Amino acid sequence: MLVALGFLMVITFMVLIMTKRMTPLLALIIVPTAFGLFAGAGFGLGDMIMDAIKSMSGTAALLMFAIMYFGLMIDVGLFDRLVAGIQKLVGNDPAKVIVGTALLTAVISLDGDGSTTFIVVTAALLPIYQRLGLSPVVLTCVAGLTNGTLNIVPWGGPTARAAAALGVEASDVFVPMLPSLGIALVVIGIFAWQMGIAERRRMQREHPELWGTSFGGGNLAGGQGGSGKGGKTRGGVSGSPIAVLEAVATKGDGTETATMDGTVLDPNRETLRPKLFFFNLALTVAIMVLLVVDVLPLSYLFMIGTAIALVVNFPKVSDQVKMIASHSSEIIAVVSMVLGAAVLTGVLSGTGMVDAMSQWLVTIIPDSLGQYMAVITGLISIPATFFMSNDAFYFGILPVLTEAGAHFGVPAVDMARASITGQPVHMQSPLVPAILLLVSLARVDLGDHHKKVLWRALVVSLVMLASGVLFGAIAMG
């Protein structure tokens, strides 16, 4: 009966949130409460859920202060110079522009918010793509890949959900995966460079009258692929490739410029603190170093960092209150989800459902495959998180797989690490609002985006999983 109730509860939860009949937060609270009462838990539900909340308090604190810290760093202008530097560095070389897209996306992705990242990246680089005639699908591909890969940071969604669902520390999930994350980013860099070279060749092929065959030393291409407009100039402008570039009519009138107006990097925002740039940079570097060496709990580390950042950048109490309030909506959305998950995990474990479900799975999984449960979970996460939400997978499926893995001696933290390797593919899902925002801003068809990005995302996910096994972060036998 417990097996049937457990699977029925998970299925009910998943159906309600996937059909949008209930928000994930409400489903996390209401569905397990109803099934727990039906299972006979009665007033014992309170103790089960409070025990689960206690185990998740560290993760909730980490999310709250990490989101606030990186939000503050964006507000005060820590990343503005980097964005401007990347724009200047990439110039008009297609390969550099596309690699720069990956770099910029990686930096802005540190705040854990995909929508913010895509707004900034498109505002900063889409005008450059338009001026050079680069395919905007390349922009969405590189940005989607990079953001999906960096979505595994501890204050991002999947790692926090995996840690909350399995009762492990987010830092224990993330830190051992750093080598895998680094390798995945290198693979993305290679993909970006290859796409940049392909764009160079396309423009050389389509506009040989302008660019010939060389892009070296600042000889750059222009023109809109396939438009037949690339050879037009204004006022008879001729001369160097750069001079011709300025006269090429692509989208608009060829005078498009990148602007941060109206975005979180608006150059006129009141929260800028240019005189404190080096202090904020040093503080952020110190936090990143302490994060890697793991000498303090991550939640406390970001608590201290946020407090110092607020006091130094905004000495007035009224300004501090205003800055905290400005990030409250993101914090409430994420932290409430983690605390809501305590109801589901508390009922699953407290009523014995998860034990019964895992025992059933153990009976149907061949012993020869049991030791590979972490790898199997990683492989399952790739299609599963594309076709369902992170909430459904991490709170509904992962705990059951993990309990089954425990019977074969696979640690829960290894299961959590394996489960986050599918995120590069997950981020491309039409179920993810941020990716819909990206393709909308770039005026790209989602189908065209998928044609270019999905196989690359699959490669990145498999590389993360394989390197996690190679470096011992994910158990294999």
Side-chain angles (χ1 to χ4, degrees), residues 26-117:
L26 295 183
L28 283 170
I29 297 171
I30 295 173
V31 173
T33 297
F35 276 86
L37 291 172
F38 190 78
F43 291 112
L45 280 175
D47 292 334
M48 297 176 192
I49 292 164
M50 289 310 299
D51 288 340
I53 288 177
K54 290 175 184 177
S55 68
M56 294 181 184
S57 59
T59 298
L62 166 64
L63 290 171
M64 175 177 176
F65 288 98
I67 290 171
M68 191 183 301
Y69 180 82
F70 283 105
L72 285 171
M73 289 299 104
I74 289 175
D75 291 337
V76 300
L78 177 62
F79 300 119
D80 288 38
R81 294 189 186 185
L82 182 59
V83 172
I86 290 174
Q87 287 179 318
K88 184 177 180 181
L89 179 66
V90 301
N92 295 317
D93 184 334
K96 290 181 180 178
V97 168
I98 294 169
V99 171
T101 303
L103 290 174
L104 178 60
T105 305
V107 172
I108 307 301
S109 292
L110 288 175
D111 78 336
D113 185 350
S115 297
T116 297
T117 299

Side-chain angles (χ1 to χ4, degrees), residues 94-95 98 138 192-205 452 456:
I98 294 169
V138 174
W193 182 256
Q194 289 176 335
M195 284 186 278
I197 297 299
E199 286 293 281
R200 275 183 179 178
R201 291 172 178 167
R202 176 180 65 79
M203 290 189 288
Q204 287 171 342
R205 183 176 63 254
K452 189 171 286 288
R456 291 181 171 91

Side-chain angles (χ1 to χ4, degrees), residues 231-445:
K232 294 184 180 179
T233 61
R234 294 191 299 278
V237 176
S238 62
S240 71
I242 293 180
V244 177
L245 172 66
E246 299 301 327
V248 170
T250 58
K251 296 181 180 177
D253 61 2
T255 61
E256 297 87 349
T257 57
T259 174
M260 296 290 107
D261 293 351
T263 75
V264 291
L265 296 186
D266 190 322
N268 299 313
R269 61 191 187 277
E270 297 179 356
T271 56
L272 284 176
R273 297 294 185 269
K275 294 181 180 179
L276 294 172
F277 173 80
F278 290 105
F279 170 81
N280 289 319
L281 178 62
L283 178 62
T284 302
V285 170
I287 289 176
M288 293 298 102
V289 171
L290 290 174
L291 182 153
V292 174
V293 298
D294 198 22
V295 294
L296 288 172
L298 284 187
S299 53
Y300 179 59
L301 181 61
F302 278 103
M303 282 183 182
I304 292 295
T306 301
I308 294 173
L310 276 170
V311 169
V312 174
N313 287 280
F314 303 96
K316 294 182 180 180
V317 174
S318 59
D319 289 337
Q320 294 170 9
V321 172
K322 187 186 299 182
M323 295 310 299
I324 293 172
S326 68
H327 298 285
S328 59
S329 60
E330 306 100 90
I331 293 170
I332 291 172
V334 177
V335 174
S336 63
M337 191 75 68
V338 172
L339 296 178
V343 182
L344 179 62
T345 57
V347 170
L348 274 172
S349 58
T351 60
M353 288 183 190
V354 73
D355 288 332
M357 295 161 73
S358 63
Q359 289 284 0
W360 179 80
L361 281 177
V362 168
T363 63
I364 65 172
I365 295 175
D367 291 339
S368 58
L369 295 179
Q371 60 184 331
Y372 304 118
M373 276 300 296
V375 175
I376 292 172
T377 297
L379 293 174
I380 291 173
S381 74
I382 295 173
T385 56
F386 183 83
F387 291 108
M388 66 177 67
S389 69
N390 275 340
D391 298 302
F393 177 75
Y394 287 104
F395 297 136
I397 294 177
L398 182 60
V400 179
L401 292 173
T402 300
E403 193 64 27
H407 289 278
F408 295 103
V410 181
V413 72
D414 290 62
M415 298 288 284
R417 293 169 192 155
S419 72
I420 61 177
T421 59
Q423 287 305 299
V425 174
H426 164 75
M427 183 52 69
Q428 319 314 320
S429 171
L431 298 176
V432 177
I435 204 66
L436 299 179
L437 173 65
L438 174 63
V439 296
S440 174
L441 290 172
R443 298 180 182 88
V444 166
D445 181 77

